[in-house]
Amino acid sequence: MKHYKLLSLATVALLALAGCNNNETVQDIARQGEEDLAGQTEFAMVEEEIRNEGMPGEAAVSASTPQTRTAGFYTGSQLDFYWKEGDELWLLDPTATPNLIKSYRSSIKALMEQHNDNKVARASFWFKGHYTQSQYVVRYTGKGNTAGDKVTIRINQETTKFPNNHNLGINGDCASAIARKDASTGRYLFTLTHRASYLTFTPHSTHNFANTVKVTKIRVKANKPIAGVYDFSTNKIADNATPLSSSSTAITLTPKSGGVVGCPLPGSTDWQKNACTMVIAPGTYSWIEVEYTVYDSATKTEGKFAKRYNNVTLKPGRNRRIDPDIRFETHDQYDYWMWDANYTAHYWKAATPPVLNGESASGYPPYSVSTSGAPLSGLSNSQNYPVQAVLSGSGPDTHTSIYTGGGCRLLSVNQLLWLVQKGNPHVEKDRPWTMPGTGHLYKGGMWFYKKANIAGFRKDQSPDGSDYRYGGDVNYTYTNLKTGEPKPNNGKYFFLPFTGYFRDGKLNNRGIAGYYWSQSSAPDAGGRQRAYSLRLYGDRIQVTGTWRTDGCYYMLNELNGIMD
């Protein structure tokens, strides 16, 4: 019996394809044994192009012509495809009942074993029966799909390895072609045209995070459906089609490699480390929003970063590369001081500070450093209560900007009480932020009214009319907290992060609580000198005395304008 060979050519790159010979491939396949092919006909595929396109406002990445298969390997400029075990084709035969016939067998598994690989560059597919028409339509409707006239673009997708995703066929990849009989060889040849669209994500962060920080989820939302079960009876997903069922305006992609969730987040674009590809329905969208979930396993902190793109057209068979710089709110890791320490000697002037709770470092005050020959101890002001701070000063993220006599710009204990009692505090426990240079993600903090929105706010008198700078022992706790960022915010509030504090060089409670110095000293306790501080927790606020030698944060002062 005569057998019609359907040849499938696939290679890692176009240059490799140029050296392939169709006749040689047919001969290789034939060696599997003619007796196994009796009563079957083989149809076959050649290459197509899947080009990179940039998102609106972003530059496109140049691409050459790749090959089409069902497992997608990202090369930095294009998607290259390979056949995987379990891939099948559908043949449309108008004369048959039913008219859609699934391929009976393929050479994929045998070739994988022969080459000791989990993918193959060449494969053949056989259909039972003898086909003689000059042309037929063939379809690929996704790996494991039991229907030849429907395609399911999954709402929840996963990758398998970076930058190679073996799951594109499972996630909704689809294609179709006309197979035409080659009169000179008797074979049917076709070029698959992919009918889905693709998004390849290569996120990075110029925060230069540690390797404990990874992207654990990528969620794409749009103004209309992008996933579901689509009609494929016309050999394509119609532009702007409405799904037949399971319609969704969002797709969640879980980056996995070797079963482990999370892709690296390098400091600059490095597609080889983390390229993740999603299958998405083609169409024109008013907007598409991409949200990245980032998790730091060292601090147990999760943060989300989102970016919206307007007026996006996703073409069938085309890939969009999205390369965001994932950024979070930042605060200065050096803006910790002993109370009213010398204005040029913050807590870590002589050393690199610890970055994780429980870690310690040497080099905290007293330390041996000097400026213009003058030794600086960095020690706290040791004058007796009720002295007010006069030496130190700093602003958020500006520990190198020193203000002589800036200590007088810290809030007094009276102003702390105004802030707590009249500042409408809102706790936001999961708000993400980072400190450049630490390599980690932290969370949590509290919102307060800016001083212009607090009627009566003043340094020399508390809300009850007393002046606690020079008398009394304040130990005040407030628990009537609201949760979440104030809505609407309208610029009326400012945010204080849970920065933690240092004691004897050890970091405590960062991402759990915040400790902020005031200008005012507090009465001694337990034989130790204290100063008033504002302490922020997830369930309460305290205004109370703190040991002057602790390293608390100096962000809360009137020099930096955060309360204006």
Side-chain angles (χ1 to χ4, degrees), residues 435-455:
M435 290 179 162
T438 64
H440 290 288
L441 192 63
Y442 309 101
K443 66 179 179 180
M446 207 163 289
W447 294 90
F448 294 93
Y449 272 143
K450 293 181 178 179
K451 61 185 181 182
N453 300 300
I454 302 176

Side-chain angles (χ1 to χ4, degrees), residues 151 153 172 174 195-196 230-232 234-239 241 281-282 316:
V151 168
I153 296 179
C174 55
R195 301 300 186 177
Y230 289 86
D231 176 62
F232 206 67
T234 59
N235 306 311
K236 65 179 181 179
I237 298 175
D239 288 345

Side-chain angles (χ1 to χ4, degrees), residues 130 170 411 476 562:
H130 191 72
I170 296 174
L411 300 189
Y476 179 78
I562 67 168

